[in-house]
Amino acid sequence: KQEVTQIPAALSVPEGENLVLNCSFTDSAIYNLQWFRQDPGKGLTSLLLIQSSQREQTSGRLNASLDKSSGRSTLYIAASQPGDSATYLCAVPGSNDYKLSFGAGTTVTVRA
Amino acid sequence: GAGVSQSPRYKVTKRGQDVALRCDPISGHVSLYWYRQALGQGPEFLTYFNYEAQQDKSGLPNDRFSAERPEGSISTLTIQRTEQRDSAMYRCASSFRRVARQGYYNEQFFGPGTRLTVL
């Protein structure tokens, strides 16, 4: 069974600082890895999907890296803003390509 | 375009009552998923449809839970004889699976969820 761990569980930084969020998974036979953002009262917003053949994926201030062999992904958020405050979740499908296993998330607070 | 929608957004019910949660996926998405999320945890898989066929229901906790997608679009998750332990956020997602140059592409898009509270 795929186990996904996210460290740290919570993070508080001053505005402008870069954020580094970590995700590790136990089964490296994955199709891809998705990073999501969760805001209170709202759904999960897909931020990035990185394929197993890719080493990184970028979208604006977001950059996700993937090291499949070591079972790790890192989400970097450059020049953080108070609007980046949210919970960030990573998810990987297991031996199939649809049953996502999620980490518990990292709750980020960016202080103005 | 419109995203995944779910209704109701909030549902409060008494123990023993049946509830039906609705999901309207993104137009053109043939795959639909239901997940359940407890407070402070990530979502957990419940079931998966490809068109109208329920391909995987391994995550449904017991036989009080059922789901259908009769016309391959809107889906309903039904919980019979609700119990307090059923209280959670129920999330629906949809995707359009395709083969891309980088590999198999199956990005899931989630709705806002239904917050179920069983008293």
Side-chain angles (χ1 to χ4, degrees), chain A residues 26-53:
Chain A
T26 54
D27 185 352
S28 62
I30 61 169
Y31 285 91
N32 53 56
L33 183 144
Q34 250 181 292
W35 281 95
F36 293 90
R37 170 183 171 139
Q38 178 174 313
D39 294 280
K42 296 183 181 179
L44 300 176
T45 302
S46 180
L47 297 173
L48 289 167
L49 182 147
I50 181 166
Q51 294 289 351
S52 61
S53 60

PDB file of all heavy atoms in Angstrom, chain A residues 26-53:
ATOM      1  N   THR A  26       6.306   5.676  -0.466  1.00  0.00           N
ATOM      2  CA  THR A  26       6.992   4.413  -0.232  1.00  0.00           C
ATOM      3  C   THR A  26       7.148   3.564  -1.481  1.00  0.00           C
ATOM      4  O   THR A  26       8.118   2.820  -1.603  1.00  0.00           O
ATOM      5  CB  THR A  26       6.241   3.604   0.836  1.00  0.00           C
ATOM      6  OG1 THR A  26       4.869   3.467   0.449  1.00  0.00           O
ATOM      7  CG2 THR A  26       6.330   4.277   2.195  1.00  0.00           C
ATOM      8  N   ASP A  27       6.207   3.643  -2.406  1.00  0.00           N
ATOM      9  CA  ASP A  27       6.245   2.832  -3.615  1.00  0.00           C
ATOM     10  C   ASP A  27       6.659   3.709  -4.788  1.00  0.00           C
ATOM     11  O   ASP A  27       5.913   4.599  -5.185  1.00  0.00           O
ATOM     12  CB  ASP A  27       4.872   2.199  -3.870  1.00  0.00           C
ATOM     13  CG  ASP A  27       4.880   1.250  -5.052  1.00  0.00           C
ATOM     14  OD1 ASP A  27       5.889   1.179  -5.788  1.00  0.00           O
ATOM     15  OD2 ASP A  27       3.863   0.556  -5.242  1.00  0.00           O
ATOM     16  N   SER A  28       7.842   3.462  -5.337  1.00  0.00           N
ATOM     17  CA  SER A  28       8.370   4.334  -6.385  1.00  0.00           C
ATOM     18  C   SER A  28       7.785   4.034  -7.768  1.00  0.00           C
ATOM     19  O   SER A  28       8.057   4.753  -8.723  1.00  0.00           O
ATOM     20  CB  SER A  28       9.896   4.225  -6.437  1.00  0.00           C
ATOM     21  OG  SER A  28      10.273   2.901  -6.752  1.00  0.00           O
ATOM     22  N   ALA A  29       6.966   2.992  -7.875  1.00  0.00           N
ATOM     23  CA  ALA A  29       6.357   2.657  -9.170  1.00  0.00           C
ATOM     24  C   ALA A  29       5.115   3.509  -9.392  1.00  0.00           C
ATOM     25  O   ALA A  29       3.981   3.022  -9.307  1.00  0.00           O
ATOM     26  CB  ALA A  29       6.003   1.172  -9.204  1.00  0.00           C
ATOM     27  N   ILE A  30       5.337   4.780  -9.650  1.00  0.00           N
ATOM     28  CA  ILE A  30       4.213   5.712  -9.798  1.00  0.00           C
ATOM     29  C   ILE A  30       4.128   6.212 -11.232  1.00  0.00           C
ATOM     30  O   ILE A  30       5.118   6.253 -11.960  1.00  0.00           O
ATOM     31  CB  ILE A  30       4.346   6.919  -8.847  1.00  0.00           C
ATOM     32  CG1 ILE A  30       5.633   7.711  -9.141  1.00  0.00           C
ATOM     33  CG2 ILE A  30       4.320   6.462  -7.395  1.00  0.00           C
ATOM     34  CD1 ILE A  30       5.696   9.042  -8.422  1.00  0.00           C
ATOM     35  N   TYR A  31       2.930   6.596 -11.645  1.00  0.00           N
ATOM     36  CA  TYR A  31       2.740   7.207 -12.949  1.00  0.00           C
ATOM     37  C   TYR A  31       3.093   8.699 -12.913  1.00  0.00           C
ATOM     38  O   TYR A  31       3.621   9.259 -13.864  1.00  0.00           O
ATOM     39  CB  TYR A  31       1.285   7.056 -13.403  1.00  0.00           C
ATOM     40  CG  TYR A  31       0.923   5.679 -13.856  1.00  0.00           C
ATOM     41  CD1 TYR A  31       0.416   4.754 -12.953  1.00  0.00           C
ATOM     42  CD2 TYR A  31       1.062   5.291 -15.179  1.00  0.00           C
ATOM     43  CE1 TYR A  31       0.061   3.475 -13.368  1.00  0.00           C
ATOM     44  CE2 TYR A  31       0.715   4.016 -15.603  1.00  0.00           C
ATOM     45  CZ  TYR A  31       0.221   3.119 -14.684  1.00  0.00           C
ATOM     46  OH  TYR A  31      -0.117   1.850 -15.092  1.00  0.00           O
ATOM     47  N   ASN A  32       2.711   9.328 -11.814  1.00  0.00           N
ATOM     48  CA  ASN A  32       2.904  10.767 -11.703  1.00  0.00           C
ATOM     49  C   ASN A  32       2.726  11.168 -10.245  1.00  0.00           C
ATOM     50  O   ASN A  32       2.450  10.324  -9.377  1.00  0.00           O
ATOM     51  CB  ASN A  32       1.918  11.531 -12.595  1.00  0.00           C
ATOM     52  CG  ASN A  32       0.475  11.120 -12.337  1.00  0.00           C
ATOM     53  OD1 ASN A  32      -0.012  11.194 -11.213  1.00  0.00           O
ATOM     54  ND2 ASN A  32      -0.230  10.694 -13.379  1.00  0.00           N
ATOM     55  N   LEU A  33       2.867  12.448  -9.985  1.00  0.00           N
ATOM     56  CA  LEU A  33       2.646  12.992  -8.646  1.00  0.00           C
ATOM     57  C   LEU A  33       1.968  14.343  -8.826  1.00  0.00           C
ATOM     58  O   LEU A  33       2.341  15.122  -9.703  1.00  0.00           O
ATOM     59  CB  LEU A  33       3.973  13.145  -7.897  1.00  0.00           C
ATOM     60  CG  LEU A  33       3.908  13.646  -6.450  1.00  0.00           C
ATOM     61  CD1 LEU A  33       4.978  12.965  -5.604  1.00  0.00           C
ATOM     62  CD2 LEU A  33       4.036  15.149  -6.359  1.00  0.00           C
ATOM     63  N   GLN A  34       0.950  14.570  -8.012  1.00  0.00           N
ATOM     64  CA  GLN A  34       0.220  15.825  -8.082  1.00  0.00           C
ATOM     65  C   GLN A  34       0.381  16.600  -6.792  1.00  0.00           C
ATOM     66  O   GLN A  34       0.312  16.029  -5.694  1.00  0.00           O
ATOM     67  CB  GLN A  34      -1.296  15.544  -8.292  1.00  0.00           C
ATOM     68  CG  GLN A  34      -1.808  15.918  -9.657  1.00  0.00           C
ATOM     69  CD  GLN A  34      -3.296  15.674  -9.849  1.00  0.00           C
ATOM     70  OE1 GLN A  34      -3.774  14.558  -9.885  1.00  0.00           O
ATOM     71  NE2 GLN A  34      -4.013  16.763 -10.001  1.00  0.00           N
ATOM     72  N   TRP A  35       0.538  17.911  -6.924  1.00  0.00           N
ATOM     73  CA  TRP A  35       0.507  18.824  -5.790  1.00  0.00           C
ATOM     74  C   TRP A  35      -0.801  19.609  -5.843  1.00  0.00           C
ATOM     75  O   TRP A  35      -1.197  20.098  -6.907  1.00  0.00           O
ATOM     76  CB  TRP A  35       1.688  19.789  -5.825  1.00  0.00           C
ATOM     77  CG  TRP A  35       2.976  19.192  -5.331  1.00  0.00           C
ATOM     78  CD1 TRP A  35       3.956  18.624  -6.085  1.00  0.00           C
ATOM     79  CD2 TRP A  35       3.409  19.105  -3.962  1.00  0.00           C
ATOM     80  NE1 TRP A  35       4.988  18.198  -5.282  1.00  0.00           N
ATOM     81  CE2 TRP A  35       4.680  18.483  -3.972  1.00  0.00           C
ATOM     82  CE3 TRP A  35       2.862  19.507  -2.747  1.00  0.00           C
ATOM     83  CZ2 TRP A  35       5.408  18.247  -2.798  1.00  0.00           C
ATOM     84  CZ3 TRP A  35       3.583  19.274  -1.584  1.00  0.00           C
ATOM     85  CH2 TRP A  35       4.833  18.648  -1.620  1.00  0.00           C
ATOM     86  N   PHE A  36      -1.444  19.717  -4.664  1.00  0.00           N
ATOM     87  CA  PHE A  36      -2.713  20.424  -4.548  1.00  0.00           C
ATOM     88  C   PHE A  36      -2.596  21.504  -3.472  1.00  0.00           C
ATOM     89  O   PHE A  36      -1.794  21.400  -2.547  1.00  0.00           O
ATOM     90  CB  PHE A  36      -3.845  19.476  -4.105  1.00  0.00           C
ATOM     91  CG  PHE A  36      -4.225  18.432  -5.110  1.00  0.00           C
ATOM     92  CD1 PHE A  36      -3.588  17.198  -5.115  1.00  0.00           C
ATOM     93  CD2 PHE A  36      -5.243  18.661  -6.022  1.00  0.00           C
ATOM     94  CE1 PHE A  36      -3.948  16.213  -6.018  1.00  0.00           C
ATOM     95  CE2 PHE A  36      -5.618  17.689  -6.931  1.00  0.00           C
ATOM     96  CZ  PHE A  36      -4.963  16.455  -6.923  1.00  0.00           C
ATOM     97  N   ARG A  37      -3.471  22.476  -3.608  1.00  0.00           N
ATOM     98  CA  ARG A  37      -3.637  23.497  -2.579  1.00  0.00           C
ATOM     99  C   ARG A  37      -5.059  23.382  -2.042  1.00  0.00           C
ATOM    100  O   ARG A  37      -6.009  23.228  -2.823  1.00  0.00           O
ATOM    101  CB  ARG A  37      -3.408  24.875  -3.198  1.00  0.00           C
ATOM    102  CG  ARG A  37      -3.786  26.033  -2.296  1.00  0.00           C
ATOM    103  CD  ARG A  37      -3.611  27.351  -2.966  1.00  0.00           C
ATOM    104  NE  ARG A  37      -4.194  28.392  -2.128  1.00  0.00           N
ATOM    105  CZ  ARG A  37      -3.647  29.586  -1.930  1.00  0.00           C
ATOM    106  NH1 ARG A  37      -2.499  29.892  -2.527  1.00  0.00           N
ATOM    107  NH2 ARG A  37      -4.235  30.466  -1.161  1.00  0.00           N
ATOM    108  N   GLN A  38      -5.207  23.453  -0.714  1.00  0.00           N
ATOM    109  CA  GLN A  38      -6.521  23.374  -0.084  1.00  0.00           C
ATOM    110  C   GLN A  38      -6.749  24.618   0.747  1.00  0.00           C
ATOM    111  O   GLN A  38      -5.958  24.927   1.630  1.00  0.00           O
ATOM    112  CB  GLN A  38      -6.623  22.114   0.789  1.00  0.00           C
ATOM    113  CG  GLN A  38      -7.950  21.972   1.515  1.00  0.00           C
ATOM    114  CD  GLN A  38      -8.055  20.660   2.251  1.00  0.00           C
ATOM    115  OE1 GLN A  38      -7.755  19.598   1.717  1.00  0.00           O
ATOM    116  NE2 GLN A  38      -8.494  20.709   3.496  1.00  0.00           N
ATOM    117  N   ASP A  39      -7.833  25.320   0.429  1.00  0.00           N
ATOM    118  CA  ASP A  39      -8.226  26.488   1.198  1.00  0.00           C
ATOM    119  C   ASP A  39      -9.484  26.148   1.990  1.00  0.00           C
ATOM    120  O   ASP A  39     -10.351  25.414   1.494  1.00  0.00           O
ATOM    121  CB  ASP A  39      -8.504  27.674   0.278  1.00  0.00           C
ATOM    122  CG  ASP A  39      -7.251  28.157  -0.432  1.00  0.00           C
ATOM    123  OD1 ASP A  39      -6.476  28.892   0.214  1.00  0.00           O
ATOM    124  OD2 ASP A  39      -7.026  27.774  -1.590  1.00  0.00           O
ATOM    125  N   PRO A  40      -9.617  26.692   3.199  1.00  0.00           N
ATOM    126  CA  PRO A  40     -10.795  26.386   4.021  1.00  0.00           C
ATOM    127  C   PRO A  40     -12.092  26.682   3.277  1.00  0.00           C
ATOM    128  O   PRO A  40     -12.245  27.758   2.680  1.00  0.00           O
ATOM    129  CB  PRO A  40     -10.622  27.306   5.232  1.00  0.00           C
ATOM    130  CG  PRO A  40      -9.156  27.579   5.295  1.00  0.00           C
ATOM    131  CD  PRO A  40      -8.691  27.595   3.868  1.00  0.00           C
ATOM    132  N   GLY A  41     -13.015  25.741   3.296  1.00  0.00           N
ATOM    133  CA  GLY A  41     -14.308  25.942   2.665  1.00  0.00           C
ATOM    134  C   GLY A  41     -14.297  25.802   1.157  1.00  0.00           C
ATOM    135  O   GLY A  41     -15.330  25.970   0.510  1.00  0.00           O
ATOM    136  N   LYS A  42     -13.149  25.498   0.609  1.00  0.00           N
ATOM    137  CA  LYS A  42     -13.061  25.361  -0.849  1.00  0.00           C
ATOM    138  C   LYS A  42     -12.526  23.977  -1.183  1.00  0.00           C
ATOM    139  O   LYS A  42     -12.111  23.213  -0.323  1.00  0.00           O
ATOM    140  CB  LYS A  42     -12.155  26.438  -1.429  1.00  0.00           C
ATOM    141  CG  LYS A  42     -12.681  27.845  -1.228  1.00  0.00           C
ATOM    142  CD  LYS A  42     -11.780  28.859  -1.897  1.00  0.00           C
ATOM    143  CE  LYS A  42     -12.316  30.266  -1.666  1.00  0.00           C
ATOM    144  NZ  LYS A  42     -11.435  31.287  -2.286  1.00  0.00           N
ATOM    145  N   GLY A  43     -12.514  23.688  -2.451  1.00  0.00           N
ATOM    146  CA  GLY A  43     -12.040  22.384  -2.885  1.00  0.00           C
ATOM    147  C   GLY A  43     -10.529  22.333  -2.941  1.00  0.00           C
ATOM    148  O   GLY A  43      -9.831  23.242  -2.522  1.00  0.00           O
ATOM    149  N   LEU A  44     -10.034  21.236  -3.474  1.00  0.00           N
ATOM    150  CA  LEU A  44      -8.609  21.091  -3.721  1.00  0.00           C
ATOM    151  C   LEU A  44      -8.306  21.652  -5.097  1.00  0.00           C
ATOM    152  O   LEU A  44      -8.944  21.278  -6.066  1.00  0.00           O
ATOM    153  CB  LEU A  44      -8.209  19.615  -3.683  1.00  0.00           C
ATOM    154  CG  LEU A  44      -8.463  18.858  -2.395  1.00  0.00           C
ATOM    155  CD1 LEU A  44      -8.101  17.394  -2.559  1.00  0.00           C
ATOM    156  CD2 LEU A  44      -7.686  19.467  -1.258  1.00  0.00           C
ATOM    157  N   THR A  45      -7.327  22.518  -5.163  1.00  0.00           N
ATOM    158  CA  THR A  45      -6.918  23.088  -6.436  1.00  0.00           C
ATOM    159  C   THR A  45      -5.643  22.403  -6.898  1.00  0.00           C
ATOM    160  O   THR A  45      -4.648  22.397  -6.166  1.00  0.00           O
ATOM    161  CB  THR A  45      -6.673  24.596  -6.307  1.00  0.00           C
ATOM    162  OG1 THR A  45      -7.866  25.228  -5.834  1.00  0.00           O
ATOM    163  CG2 THR A  45      -6.271  25.196  -7.650  1.00  0.00           C
ATOM    164  N   SER A  46      -5.670  21.834  -8.087  1.00  0.00           N
ATOM    165  CA  SER A  46      -4.475  21.195  -8.618  1.00  0.00           C
ATOM    166  C   SER A  46      -3.467  22.266  -9.019  1.00  0.00           C
ATOM    167  O   SER A  46      -3.779  23.182  -9.778  1.00  0.00           O
ATOM    168  CB  SER A  46      -4.836  20.337  -9.832  1.00  0.00           C
ATOM    169  OG  SER A  46      -3.679  19.709 -10.363  1.00  0.00           O
ATOM    170  N   LEU A  47      -2.261  22.138  -8.470  1.00  0.00           N
ATOM    171  CA  LEU A  47      -1.208  23.108  -8.758  1.00  0.00           C
ATOM    172  C   LEU A  47      -0.286  22.624  -9.872  1.00  0.00           C
ATOM    173  O   LEU A  47       0.000  23.349 -10.819  1.00  0.00           O
ATOM    174  CB  LEU A  47      -0.385  23.370  -7.497  1.00  0.00           C
ATOM    175  CG  LEU A  47      -1.113  23.987  -6.314  1.00  0.00           C
ATOM    176  CD1 LEU A  47      -0.208  24.033  -5.097  1.00  0.00           C
ATOM    177  CD2 LEU A  47      -1.612  25.380  -6.656  1.00  0.00           C
ATOM    178  N   LEU A  48       0.207  21.422  -9.717  1.00  0.00           N
ATOM    179  CA  LEU A  48       1.157  20.858 -10.671  1.00  0.00           C
ATOM    180  C   LEU A  48       0.969  19.362 -10.728  1.00  0.00           C
ATOM    181  O   LEU A  48       0.703  18.724  -9.708  1.00  0.00           O
ATOM    182  CB  LEU A  48       2.610  21.151 -10.239  1.00  0.00           C
ATOM    183  CG  LEU A  48       3.122  22.588 -10.335  1.00  0.00           C
ATOM    184  CD1 LEU A  48       4.438  22.717  -9.582  1.00  0.00           C
ATOM    185  CD2 LEU A  48       3.317  22.978 -11.789  1.00  0.00           C
ATOM    186  N   LEU A  49       1.117  18.804 -11.901  1.00  0.00           N
ATOM    187  CA  LEU A  49       1.222  17.360 -12.065  1.00  0.00           C
ATOM    188  C   LEU A  49       2.552  17.103 -12.735  1.00  0.00           C
ATOM    189  O   LEU A  49       2.847  17.678 -13.791  1.00  0.00           O
ATOM    190  CB  LEU A  49       0.075  16.801 -12.909  1.00  0.00           C
ATOM    191  CG  LEU A  49       0.079  15.274 -13.092  1.00  0.00           C
ATOM    192  CD1 LEU A  49      -1.338  14.736 -13.181  1.00  0.00           C
ATOM    193  CD2 LEU A  49       0.866  14.848 -14.309  1.00  0.00           C
ATOM    194  N   ILE A  50       3.372  16.260 -12.122  1.00  0.00           N
ATOM    195  CA  ILE A  50       4.686  15.941 -12.673  1.00  0.00           C
ATOM    196  C   ILE A  50       4.689  14.454 -13.033  1.00  0.00           C
ATOM    197  O   ILE A  50       4.363  13.594 -12.212  1.00  0.00           O
ATOM    198  CB  ILE A  50       5.806  16.344 -11.683  1.00  0.00           C
ATOM    199  CG1 ILE A  50       7.169  16.042 -12.269  1.00  0.00           C
ATOM    200  CG2 ILE A  50       5.632  15.716 -10.313  1.00  0.00           C
ATOM    201  CD1 ILE A  50       8.302  16.732 -11.505  1.00  0.00           C
ATOM    202  N   GLN A  51       5.008  14.170 -14.277  1.00  0.00           N
ATOM    203  CA  GLN A  51       5.020  12.788 -14.751  1.00  0.00           C
ATOM    204  C   GLN A  51       6.232  12.054 -14.182  1.00  0.00           C
ATOM    205  O   GLN A  51       7.240  12.668 -13.840  1.00  0.00           O
ATOM    206  CB  GLN A  51       5.079  12.763 -16.279  1.00  0.00           C
ATOM    207  CG  GLN A  51       3.852  13.305 -16.966  1.00  0.00           C
ATOM    208  CD  GLN A  51       2.647  12.377 -16.827  1.00  0.00           C
ATOM    209  OE1 GLN A  51       2.756  11.256 -16.370  1.00  0.00           O
ATOM    210  NE2 GLN A  51       1.493  12.873 -17.232  1.00  0.00           N
ATOM    211  N   SER A  52       6.141  10.741 -14.130  1.00  0.00           N
ATOM    212  CA  SER A  52       7.232   9.949 -13.569  1.00  0.00           C
ATOM    213  C   SER A  52       8.515  10.074 -14.386  1.00  0.00           C
ATOM    214  O   SER A  52       9.614   9.884 -13.869  1.00  0.00           O
ATOM    215  CB  SER A  52       6.829   8.476 -13.474  1.00  0.00           C
ATOM    216  OG  SER A  52       6.537   7.968 -14.761  1.00  0.00           O
ATOM    217  N   SER A  53       8.375  10.423 -15.668  1.00  0.00           N
ATOM    218  CA  SER A  53       9.553  10.571 -16.524  1.00  0.00           C
ATOM    219  C   SER A  53      10.201  11.950 -16.405  1.00  0.00           C
ATOM    220  O   SER A  53      11.285  12.188 -16.938  1.00  0.00           O
ATOM    221  CB  SER A  53       9.160  10.338 -17.985  1.00  0.00           C
ATOM    222  OG  SER A  53       8.172  11.272 -18.378  1.00  0.00           O
TER     223      SER A  53
END
